[in-house]
Amino acid sequence: MVLGIETSCDECAASVVSGNMEILSNVVSSQVEAHRPYGGVVPEIASREHLKTIVQVVEQALDDAHIGLDDVNAIGVTQGPGLIGSLLVGVSFAKAVSMAKGIPLVGVDHVAAHLFAVQLEPDPPEPPFVGLVASGGHTSLYLVKDHLDIELIGATKDDAAGEAFDKAAKMLGLPYPGGASIERESQRNGNPQEYKLPRPMLKSGDLHFSFSGLKTALLHLVKGWPQERVNDELPHLCASFQEAVVDVLVEKSLAATQEHGQGKLIISGGVAANARLRESLGKQAEKRGVRLWVPSKQLCTDNAAMVAALAYFMFTEGRRSDMKMEAYSTLYRRQG
Ligand code: KG4
Ligand code: ZN
């Protein structure tokens, strides 16, 4: 039994996962309401919210799984990357419980944990495969050579896909979190071909991404428009923007899979919850003979079950963290 704890951003989450990758509980307490008035995540508010909710969230996860701390064999906690103040709440909490109860501790990388969401679904793929992590902070392609042998093969040069959704939504006056708002507007009969927006780096011949130019193109498109016109055109603007992001993600992921992943692709991260991405990738993958694994939406967005899953794989390989374990805010500080 692994207890997973996740506090890297604006979700306070805890989950119990058993060794056969069965999810016994999966509690996610979202802070969306606390941040919404500011149009994005406010780090100081996020840390304080985590402090308020973490005990309750972990207790709920244990209760839902019908177990107590004495039944927990390992604690997995997100060490980074993320907001440092938020990470410290989870890491300090996990260290305290580990020390008090003598439960082994495993610090895990949040982005790598996204790659493990798929292991919690029926018939998960065996490595090697390619994994796309598209979230608020990252848009990266990984070659998963073995479960714990992961190589970065593509990344964004500037904004992440989720960040582009969030910034575009803000520009159009839509509420945070932006990705879900843009998806909702598009579904009001938005025509994805109505506005021509660029597909950055689509033909760059490598596996890297760039989304800041797309956001700027949208800004130029609506510049000088009165708010009523923006409001009237929202479904088309959102559908056109979403389509541009989706086209790039689909194309690059499939190219990476055909080049490196032996025809096997998995996706994860908040943007992977996007219905249009799931649909388009499904169709294109089938056309090109790529096998695709798509976790449920709850496992794509931030959660602690994926943290527990990665911690389990690390734990069985003998990896442990000690009380000197540090939270880290930026990507690539920690290898392996
Ligand atoms: O993985 P995640 O929950 O947290 C991070 O690790 O960042 O991803 C959050 C990101 C946000 O940028 C949010 O706008 C985006 O995922 N997102 C979506 C959707 N749901 C969340 N983007 C597009 N469509 C969605 N349905
Ligand atoms: Zn995430």
Side-chain angles (χ1 to χ4, degrees), residues 110 114 135-137 162-163 165-166 177-180 183 269-271 273-274 300-302:
H110 178 86
H114 272 300
S135 69
E163 189 178 358
F165 270 114
D166 293 335
E183 172 166 31
V271 179
N274 184 273
C300 284
T301 50
D302 282 351

Side-chain angles (χ1 to χ4, degrees), residues 198-263:
R199 268 66 175 154
M201 315 242 326
L202 190 65
K203 305 253 182 286
S204 61
D206 58 26
L207 298 174
H208 298 305
F209 302 91
S210 162
F211 290 105
S212 78
L214 175 59
K215 168 199 68 192
T216 311
L218 181 68
L219 183 68
H220 285 307
L221 174 66
V222 300
K223 202 159 77 184
W225 286 18
Q227 190 60 41
E228 296 104 79
R229 182 168 175 205
V230 173
N231 291 347
D232 287 347
E233 291 298 300
L234 267 180
H236 300 320
L237 288 168
C238 289
S240 301
F241 182 84
Q242 176 178 266
E243 198 71 0
V245 177
V246 166
D247 278 355
V248 177
L249 292 177
V250 168
E251 200 50 51
K252 296 268 173 168
S253 305
L254 292 177
T257 308
Q258 286 169 316
E259 212 174 301
H260 300 278
Q262 299 190 351

